[in-house]
Amino acid sequence: FSISASGNTIDLTTQIVNLTVTNNSSAYTGSVLESDASLRLRLQAVGTPFTYNLKVGLYLALIALTNVKSVNIKENSTTSTVDGIPPKSFSTVIIGGNRAEIAKVIHTFTGCGSSSFGSISQLVKAEDNNTYLVYFSEPVEVAATIVVSLTTTTEFDSDVGTETVRGLIVSLVDTLDIGDNLYLQYVESACLVVGVTNVSITLNGSSISLFANYNNIFVTNNSLVTVSN
């Protein structure tokens, strides 16, 4: 064969057959650094392949489950009971989903030295073939009775205006998540339709905002909301 000038291609003019190469020493071969099973267990121990925060990993895994609508997780890393949660425990509050699937995810993300806590218990058979009891909860609904008095001008539609405001308030409360507070300002914002100049509001009989525990969710309906002008 011939080699042309530097920078150009190599042209083979004669076919090479039965070419044999002998190594002077043994080649370095590769080896498996970690098995698939070991890698899977290690990733589960840290939460997910993308996060080393167990709480974040647990939330993302639960919210991805079919029909799960909302998740709230509260940790108690202290040596005392906090908000009803025992020491070194965490409480998962969830809306929707399959209980067996939820429990399996919670078990997977339970770190060493911590325990799940809640009002619902579910048995989980783990990869080590042992059975574990996992705890979680559904939220405690807190009814919000809302009374609104509107100061209006002639621009306010007295025929349908109060019903419109009532519907807006109910829709607003429906957007609240587990553990969300119900602020007076939120309700007021729903009342400021055309023709409304001032709003007076009471929530559960008081003119202050309503504050939720981590496992509460505020709910209301048309019968619990009174709007007058």
Side-chain angles (χ1 to χ4, degrees):
F1 63 94
S2 63
I3 302 176
S4 61
S6 175
N8 295 322
T9 60
I10 298 174
D11 298 321
L12 296 178
T13 58
T14 302
Q15 184 178 6
I16 301 176
V17 295
N18 298 324
L19 179 65
T20 301
V21 177
T22 302
N23 290 333
N24 293 325
S25 59
S26 299
Y28 290 98
T29 59
S31 62
V32 178
L33 182 64
E34 185 175 22
S35 69
D36 289 348
S38 297
L39 175 61
R40 189 177 296 109
L41 288 173
R42 182 166 62 84
L43 292 178
Q44 289 176 350
V46 299
T48 72
F50 308 106
T51 175
Y52 288 90
N53 185 312
L54 287 176
K55 181 179 178 181
V56 173
L58 174 57
Y59 175 86
L60 293 175
L62 288 173
I63 204 68
L65 292 177
T66 302
N67 295 326
V68 169
K69 297 178 176 63
S70 181
V71 178
N72 195 28
I73 304 166
K74 185 174 178 65
E75 297 175 289
N76 178 16
S77 59
T78 73
T79 56
S80 303
T81 298
V82 177
D83 290 335
I85 305 174
K88 306 299 180 180
S89 300
F90 65 96
S91 179
T92 302
V93 187
I94 189 166
I95 298 175
N98 177 278
R99 289 186 175 184
E101 293 178 351
I102 292 168
K104 186 174 181 179
V105 169
I106 292 174
H107 173 73
T108 299
F109 285 86
T110 299
C112 295
S114 65
S115 302
S116 59
F117 172 77
S119 59
I120 298 171
S121 61
Q122 182 78 33
L123 288 172
V124 173
K125 187 172 182 179
E127 291 187 2
D128 60 5
N129 290 323
N130 291 318
T131 301
Y132 299 88
L133 200 56
V134 173
Y135 296 90
F136 56 96
S137 300
E138 294 176 348
V140 177
E141 293 187 350
V142 178
T145 300
I146 303 171
V147 178
V148 175
S149 178
L150 306 174
T151 301
T152 61
T153 67
T154 55
E155 292 182 285
F156 184 75
D157 190 334
S158 56
D159 293 329
V160 297
T162 55
E163 290 303 315
T164 298
V165 171
R166 180 183 286 109
L168 290 171
I169 293 171
V170 171
S171 296
L172 180 143
V173 175
D174 283 346
T175 66
L176 296 179
D177 210 341
I178 304 169
D180 282 350
N181 300 320
L182 179 56
Y183 293 105
L184 283 170
Q185 295 91 332
Y186 289 172
V187 180
E188 183 179 12
S189 67
C191 299
L192 297 177
V193 299
V194 174
V196 173
T197 59
N198 192 48
V199 182
S200 175
I201 302 168
T202 62
L203 304 177
N204 287 355
S206 181
S207 298
I208 60 174
S209 299
L210 300 180
F211 295 92
N213 293 326
Y214 78 94
N215 61 339
N216 291 156
I217 187 166
F218 287 112
V219 296
T220 196
N221 54 53
N222 287 336
S223 65
L224 293 176
V225 179
T226 301
V227 180
S228 62
N229 69 307

